[in-house]
Structures are given as C-alpha cells and as structure tokens.
Amino acid sequence: MELWGHLVVFAQIVLINLLLSGDNAVVIAMAGRRLPPAQRRRAVWWGAAAAVLLRCALTVLAALLLDIPYLQTAGAVLLLVIAFKLLTDHKEEVSAGTGASTLAGAVWTIVVADFVMSLDNVLAVAAVAGEDTALLLIGIAMSIPIIIWGSSFIMHLLDRYPVLLYAGGALLAYAACEMALKDKGLAPLLAGLGESGLHALPFATVAALLSAALWMKRRSRVHS
C-alpha cells in the first residue's frame, strides 16, 4: 500500500510538471528562435536545465517568498517586459549574418523568465510531495524531457508559422496577470473590481500587450 501511495504521488508530480512546463517551453522557444541553428540545441538544453534547477531551489523558498507583498506583482511586470521584448525582437527583420542574438543573451532571458514563472508553480508540486524531498526532486527532474521536446517542437512551429509568436506572448501575458492577482499586497486594491472584473483583467492584459507589440512593429517599419 505504501508503494502504491508513492506511485500515486509520483504520478501527480509528473502530471503537474507536465502542465506547468508549458510556459517554460514557450519562453525557451521564443528566446531561442533567433539563434543560429547550431546554437539552438544548446539554448534548449541550458534553458531546460536552468528551469529544472530553479524549480528545485525555489521549492524550499517559494512559500516564504510568496508571503512578501508585491513580490509577485514585480515578477508579473518583469514577465510582461520579457514577453514584450520577445514579441518585438523579430527574427525576420535581422539578417542571420549580423549576430541577431547570442546564446548567452537567450539563456539569460530564459533564466529570468523561468525564475519569475516558477515562484508559485513549485508550490503545487511541493504540496503534493509533502516532506518526501527525494520524490519531489525526481518528479521535477522528469520535466526535463518535457521542456526539451516541447521547446524544440514550439520553436519549429514558430519558424513555420511566425504568427504563433503572438500566441506565445499572449500566454505569457495571461500568466503574468494571474501571478499579480495572487499577490496579497494587491488584494485591497483589487477588491473593488468585483469577480467579473478580476476575470476580465487577464484578457485585458493580453490585449494591451499585443496591441503595444503590434504598434511597436508598425512604428519600426515606418521608420526603417
């Protein structure tokens, strides 16, 4: 019975990581798509390793960090800035020979975004694993192939259908707003919005980010 219980918990951790790795895969794909083909695989591996290591480290600290008022709001703003930067860095507008992006720059973008997104994600995994640290770390490690395969697949899709870049940006904007809504420091300010207002806010954030990115793209074309 004890073995069966461990198997159930392990399955839950793997499933949670499968669901939570989507954002990480999108960030890696969006940040790595501007790299030369020879460096893409390295960016994927480094990005995936950073994502998993951050989740392991933040599992211990997340519960304490999330009690700090406005920390999640600051993270949400940072994630929106990253999403905007990724949306406005258009691969097609820069020739491959000019060093459009660097491996270090892409990996740094991935690490910062993963750090922000992992703050509250690891709580779900920690809640399931309880005090079984070994099971927790094994379950988190299982997300490595998910992130690697997912980011490579998404990167391929972005190459074929660049318009999907905006879908990735929308996902990051939605995740950023959801993160801010969980911030205890913002609770008094958001109380007046009502339930319908709180549900509409993430979609409004997505619309604002995409509108700003499209405006910036049009502006850059006019001045080019």
Side-chain angles (χ1 to χ4, degrees), residues 20-37:
L20 299 184
S21 296
D23 291 347
N24 301 80
V26 169
V27 169
I28 293 173
M30 292 175 68
R33 67 186 293 268
R34 300 179 65 243
L35 292 173

PDB file of all heavy atoms in Angstrom, residues 20-37:
ATOM      1  N   LEU A  20       2.768  22.471 -15.926  1.00  0.00           N
ATOM      2  CA  LEU A  20       3.488  23.706 -15.611  1.00  0.00           C
ATOM      3  C   LEU A  20       4.669  23.970 -16.531  1.00  0.00           C
ATOM      4  O   LEU A  20       5.196  25.085 -16.549  1.00  0.00           O
ATOM      5  CB  LEU A  20       3.994  23.673 -14.161  1.00  0.00           C
ATOM      6  CG  LEU A  20       2.927  23.557 -13.076  1.00  0.00           C
ATOM      7  CD1 LEU A  20       3.566  23.633 -11.707  1.00  0.00           C
ATOM      8  CD2 LEU A  20       1.884  24.652 -13.228  1.00  0.00           C
ATOM      9  N   SER A  21       5.101  22.964 -17.297  1.00  0.00           N
ATOM     10  CA  SER A  21       6.260  23.142 -18.160  1.00  0.00           C
ATOM     11  C   SER A  21       5.915  23.845 -19.462  1.00  0.00           C
ATOM     12  O   SER A  21       6.813  24.211 -20.222  1.00  0.00           O
ATOM     13  CB  SER A  21       6.898  21.772 -18.480  1.00  0.00           C
ATOM     14  OG  SER A  21       7.384  21.166 -17.315  1.00  0.00           O
ATOM     15  N   GLY A  22       4.633  24.027 -19.722  1.00  0.00           N
ATOM     16  CA  GLY A  22       4.231  24.665 -20.977  1.00  0.00           C
ATOM     17  C   GLY A  22       4.784  26.069 -21.109  1.00  0.00           C
ATOM     18  O   GLY A  22       5.345  26.433 -22.151  1.00  0.00           O
ATOM     19  N   ASP A  23       4.656  26.887 -20.043  1.00  0.00           N
ATOM     20  CA  ASP A  23       5.169  28.256 -20.086  1.00  0.00           C
ATOM     21  C   ASP A  23       6.674  28.277 -20.315  1.00  0.00           C
ATOM     22  O   ASP A  23       7.189  29.090 -21.075  1.00  0.00           O
ATOM     23  CB  ASP A  23       4.838  28.989 -18.785  1.00  0.00           C
ATOM     24  CG  ASP A  23       3.342  29.249 -18.640  1.00  0.00           C
ATOM     25  OD1 ASP A  23       2.633  29.093 -19.647  1.00  0.00           O
ATOM     26  OD2 ASP A  23       2.908  29.592 -17.541  1.00  0.00           O
ATOM     27  N   ASN A  24       7.383  27.378 -19.623  1.00  0.00           N
ATOM     28  CA  ASN A  24       8.833  27.331 -19.770  1.00  0.00           C
ATOM     29  C   ASN A  24       9.240  26.978 -21.193  1.00  0.00           C
ATOM     30  O   ASN A  24      10.176  27.557 -21.747  1.00  0.00           O
ATOM     31  CB  ASN A  24       9.425  26.301 -18.802  1.00  0.00           C
ATOM     32  CG  ASN A  24       9.096  26.600 -17.363  1.00  0.00           C
ATOM     33  OD1 ASN A  24       8.006  26.300 -16.906  1.00  0.00           O
ATOM     34  ND2 ASN A  24      10.019  27.207 -16.647  1.00  0.00           N
ATOM     35  N   ALA A  25       8.537  26.023 -21.785  1.00  0.00           N
ATOM     36  CA  ALA A  25       8.837  25.617 -23.155  1.00  0.00           C
ATOM     37  C   ALA A  25       8.596  26.766 -24.133  1.00  0.00           C
ATOM     38  O   ALA A  25       9.358  26.966 -25.083  1.00  0.00           O
ATOM     39  CB  ALA A  25       7.996  24.400 -23.540  1.00  0.00           C
ATOM     40  N   VAL A  26       7.532  27.526 -23.895  1.00  0.00           N
ATOM     41  CA  VAL A  26       7.221  28.666 -24.767  1.00  0.00           C
ATOM     42  C   VAL A  26       8.325  29.718 -24.675  1.00  0.00           C
ATOM     43  O   VAL A  26       8.777  30.258 -25.691  1.00  0.00           O
ATOM     44  CB  VAL A  26       5.855  29.273 -24.399  1.00  0.00           C
ATOM     45  CG1 VAL A  26       5.652  30.608 -25.107  1.00  0.00           C
ATOM     46  CG2 VAL A  26       4.734  28.323 -24.774  1.00  0.00           C
ATOM     47  N   VAL A  27       8.767  30.036 -23.459  1.00  0.00           N
ATOM     48  CA  VAL A  27       9.826  31.033 -23.285  1.00  0.00           C
ATOM     49  C   VAL A  27      11.112  30.595 -23.976  1.00  0.00           C
ATOM     50  O   VAL A  27      11.764  31.384 -24.673  1.00  0.00           O
ATOM     51  CB  VAL A  27      10.088  31.285 -21.787  1.00  0.00           C
ATOM     52  CG1 VAL A  27      11.362  32.099 -21.588  1.00  0.00           C
ATOM     53  CG2 VAL A  27       8.917  32.015 -21.165  1.00  0.00           C
ATOM     54  N   ILE A  28      11.504  29.333 -23.790  1.00  0.00           N
ATOM     55  CA  ILE A  28      12.729  28.831 -24.416  1.00  0.00           C
ATOM     56  C   ILE A  28      12.624  28.917 -25.933  1.00  0.00           C
ATOM     57  O   ILE A  28      13.566  29.327 -26.619  1.00  0.00           O
ATOM     58  CB  ILE A  28      13.010  27.387 -23.964  1.00  0.00           C
ATOM     59  CG1 ILE A  28      13.342  27.347 -22.475  1.00  0.00           C
ATOM     60  CG2 ILE A  28      14.168  26.785 -24.759  1.00  0.00           C
ATOM     61  CD1 ILE A  28      13.474  25.962 -21.903  1.00  0.00           C
ATOM     62  N   ALA A  29      11.470  28.538 -26.466  1.00  0.00           N
ATOM     63  CA  ALA A  29      11.280  28.576 -27.915  1.00  0.00           C
ATOM     64  C   ALA A  29      11.330  30.001 -28.448  1.00  0.00           C
ATOM     65  O   ALA A  29      11.967  30.278 -29.470  1.00  0.00           O
ATOM     66  CB  ALA A  29       9.950  27.923 -28.282  1.00  0.00           C
ATOM     67  N   MET A  30      10.661  30.931 -27.761  1.00  0.00           N
ATOM     68  CA  MET A  30      10.628  32.317 -28.225  1.00  0.00           C
ATOM     69  C   MET A  30      11.999  32.975 -28.120  1.00  0.00           C
ATOM     70  O   MET A  30      12.392  33.784 -28.966  1.00  0.00           O
ATOM     71  CB  MET A  30       9.595  33.114 -27.434  1.00  0.00           C
ATOM     72  CG  MET A  30       8.158  32.691 -27.707  1.00  0.00           C
ATOM     73  SD  MET A  30       6.945  33.538 -26.654  1.00  0.00           S
ATOM     74  CE  MET A  30       7.044  35.221 -27.266  1.00  0.00           C
ATOM     75  N   ALA A  31      12.746  32.652 -27.067  1.00  0.00           N
ATOM     76  CA  ALA A  31      14.070  33.249 -26.887  1.00  0.00           C
ATOM     77  C   ALA A  31      15.103  32.626 -27.819  1.00  0.00           C
ATOM     78  O   ALA A  31      16.030  33.305 -28.261  1.00  0.00           O
ATOM     79  CB  ALA A  31      14.518  33.087 -25.431  1.00  0.00           C
ATOM     80  N   GLY A  32      14.949  31.338 -28.130  1.00  0.00           N
ATOM     81  CA  GLY A  32      15.957  30.648 -28.933  1.00  0.00           C
ATOM     82  C   GLY A  32      15.737  30.697 -30.431  1.00  0.00           C
ATOM     83  O   GLY A  32      16.643  30.368 -31.194  1.00  0.00           O
ATOM     84  N   ARG A  33      14.576  31.147 -30.878  1.00  0.00           N
ATOM     85  CA  ARG A  33      14.274  31.101 -32.311  1.00  0.00           C
ATOM     86  C   ARG A  33      15.150  32.036 -33.131  1.00  0.00           C
ATOM     87  O   ARG A  33      15.303  31.852 -34.336  1.00  0.00           O
ATOM     88  CB  ARG A  33      12.796  31.446 -32.548  1.00  0.00           C
ATOM     89  CG  ARG A  33      12.414  32.867 -32.221  1.00  0.00           C
ATOM     90  CD  ARG A  33      10.916  33.085 -32.353  1.00  0.00           C
ATOM     91  NE  ARG A  33      10.469  32.981 -33.721  1.00  0.00           N
ATOM     92  CZ  ARG A  33      10.368  34.015 -34.554  1.00  0.00           C
ATOM     93  NH1 ARG A  33      10.714  35.225 -34.144  1.00  0.00           N
ATOM     94  NH2 ARG A  33       9.950  33.846 -35.782  1.00  0.00           N
ATOM     95  N   ARG A  34      15.747  33.054 -32.511  1.00  0.00           N
ATOM     96  CA  ARG A  34      16.587  33.996 -33.243  1.00  0.00           C
ATOM     97  C   ARG A  34      18.037  33.550 -33.310  1.00  0.00           C
ATOM     98  O   ARG A  34      18.868  34.202 -33.929  1.00  0.00           O
ATOM     99  CB  ARG A  34      16.490  35.392 -32.612  1.00  0.00           C
ATOM    100  CG  ARG A  34      15.086  35.962 -32.620  1.00  0.00           C
ATOM    101  CD  ARG A  34      15.018  37.341 -31.967  1.00  0.00           C
ATOM    102  NE  ARG A  34      15.773  38.329 -32.716  1.00  0.00           N
ATOM    103  CZ  ARG A  34      16.838  38.982 -32.251  1.00  0.00           C
ATOM    104  NH1 ARG A  34      17.286  38.725 -31.043  1.00  0.00           N
ATOM    105  NH2 ARG A  34      17.461  39.880 -32.989  1.00  0.00           N
ATOM    106  N   LEU A  35      18.370  32.453 -32.665  1.00  0.00           N
ATOM    107  CA  LEU A  35      19.735  31.953 -32.686  1.00  0.00           C
ATOM    108  C   LEU A  35      20.029  31.197 -33.976  1.00  0.00           C
ATOM    109  O   LEU A  35      19.119  30.637 -34.596  1.00  0.00           O
ATOM    110  CB  LEU A  35      19.973  31.014 -31.496  1.00  0.00           C
ATOM    111  CG  LEU A  35      19.964  31.641 -30.101  1.00  0.00           C
ATOM    112  CD1 LEU A  35      20.029  30.545 -29.053  1.00  0.00           C
ATOM    113  CD2 LEU A  35      21.125  32.610 -29.936  1.00  0.00           C
ATOM    114  N   PRO A  36      21.297  31.138 -34.374  1.00  0.00           N
ATOM    115  CA  PRO A  36      21.671  30.270 -35.490  1.00  0.00           C
ATOM    116  C   PRO A  36      21.330  28.825 -35.162  1.00  0.00           C
ATOM    117  O   PRO A  36      21.348  28.434 -33.984  1.00  0.00           O
ATOM    118  CB  PRO A  36      23.190  30.467 -35.591  1.00  0.00           C
ATOM    119  CG  PRO A  36      23.459  31.789 -34.933  1.00  0.00           C
ATOM    120  CD  PRO A  36      22.432  31.908 -33.845  1.00  0.00           C
ATOM    121  N   PRO A  37      21.015  28.014 -36.174  1.00  0.00           N
ATOM    122  CA  PRO A  37      20.607  26.623 -35.919  1.00  0.00           C
ATOM    123  C   PRO A  37      21.586  25.842 -35.045  1.00  0.00           C
ATOM    124  O   PRO A  37      21.176  25.031 -34.216  1.00  0.00           O
ATOM    125  CB  PRO A  37      20.521  26.023 -37.328  1.00  0.00           C
ATOM    126  CG  PRO A  37      20.209  27.199 -38.204  1.00  0.00           C
ATOM    127  CD  PRO A  37      20.946  28.360 -37.595  1.00  0.00           C
TER     128      PRO A  37
END
